[in-house]
Amino acid sequence: MYPNDPYDNRRRDGGGAWDDRTRAYSADPYARDQYAQDPYAQDQYADPGYQQQYAAEPARKAPRPPRRGPQINIGLFIGGVVATAVVTALASWLVAWIIRVISQRITETGKFGVWNPVAQDEYWFAVVGGLCALFAGALWYVLQLTTPSPDQFFAWIVGLLVIAAVVLPLLLSREISTGIGTAVMHLVIGLPILFLIRAMGARSVEYR
């Protein structure tokens, strides 16, 4: 024993030393001395260099989990929209041609006066129908990305536009025959867009 040593923690009743690691007396009288001489037993977290090293390291971000949910097959959707535009253009051209032929036959009889229910020719309606289908496809895609219920919003927007396009010619046309013919053409353009674009969009959505 070292009675004059103030750092001697060994017990006087049989030896032993206070172990700082276990916070208890050790049976080994030299446990404290060995622990004090062991360079690896010191607390490394108290080293300023160690703290600066890990403080300088940027925090590692956890990897972002893969996105799950509905995904749009762009190629399939574009193909469906183009096919809808072709169908709308053909339907518009065909209905406009039928209306023009019927009006010419009625005009030739001379009993009901001169009929001109279609203000434009059938090719103009075909081009307008195809362009409207393309714009409707773009609208559905934007709604799919930005709204929680794209099909319902699309149905409301297109449905209201179709109703306005049918009612306005009936109210604003000077001749009732022209108003009826234009309203029929607008309805022919709007119905394929309203139903086919939604169907093509639903078919192009893939769930992962």
Side-chain angles (χ1 to χ4, degrees):
M1 295 187 295
Y2 304 92
N4 297 326
D5 187 0
Y7 299 99
D8 188 4
N9 295 327
R10 288 177 291 182
R11 300 172 57 186
R12 300 177 182 275
D13 56 350
W18 178 263
D19 194 345
D20 292 335
R21 291 173 295 179
T22 61
R23 300 298 178 181
Y25 278 96
S26 173
D28 186 1
Y30 301 100
R32 180 179 179 276
D33 297 337
Q34 294 176 358
Y35 174 72
Q37 297 176 2
D38 187 2
Y40 298 101
Q42 303 297 329
D43 189 4
Q44 60 178 346
Y45 296 99
D47 186 6
Y50 179 87
Q51 296 179 358
Q52 294 178 1
Q53 175 185 357
Y54 282 87
E57 292 185 359
R60 297 182 180 180
K61 296 182 179 180
R64 181 176 299 178
R67 182 182 177 184
R68 295 182 179 180
Q71 300 289 335
I72 301 176
N73 190 329
I74 299 299
L76 191 63
F77 177 70
I78 293 176
V81 171
V82 172
T84 302
V86 172
V87 171
T88 305
L90 290 176
S92 304
W93 178 87
L94 180 61
V95 173
W97 180 80
I98 293 174
I99 293 175
R100 184 173 62 83
V101 170
I102 294 175
S103 63
Q104 287 179 353
R105 293 295 178 86
I106 295 175
T107 302
E108 290 175 357
T109 60
K111 297 180 180 180
F112 301 97
V114 178
W115 275 37
N116 187 21
V118 181
Q120 303 291 338
D121 59 5
E122 53 269 23
Y123 297 103
W124 186 86
F125 284 105
V127 172
V128 171
L131 292 178
C132 289
L134 295 178
F135 282 117
L139 174 63
W140 186 91
Y141 183 77
V142 172
L143 292 176
Q144 183 71 27
L145 298 179
T146 57
T147 60
S149 184
D151 289 335
Q152 282 74 9
F153 283 109
F154 180 83
W156 274 96
I157 293 173
V158 176
L160 292 175
L161 290 177
V162 171
I163 293 174
V166 171
V167 173
L168 289 179
L170 297 175
L171 299 177
L172 301 179
S173 298
R174 295 181 178 180
E175 297 182 1
I176 186 62
S177 60
T178 304
I180 294 175
T182 306
V184 170
M185 291 307 307
H186 291 172
L187 184 63
V188 171
I189 293 174
L191 288 180
I193 293 174
L194 179 60
F195 293 102
L196 291 180
I197 293 296
R198 294 175 62 190
M200 295 302 102
R203 290 287 184 178
S204 61
V205 174
E206 299 176 350
Y207 293 90
R208 300 177 181 178

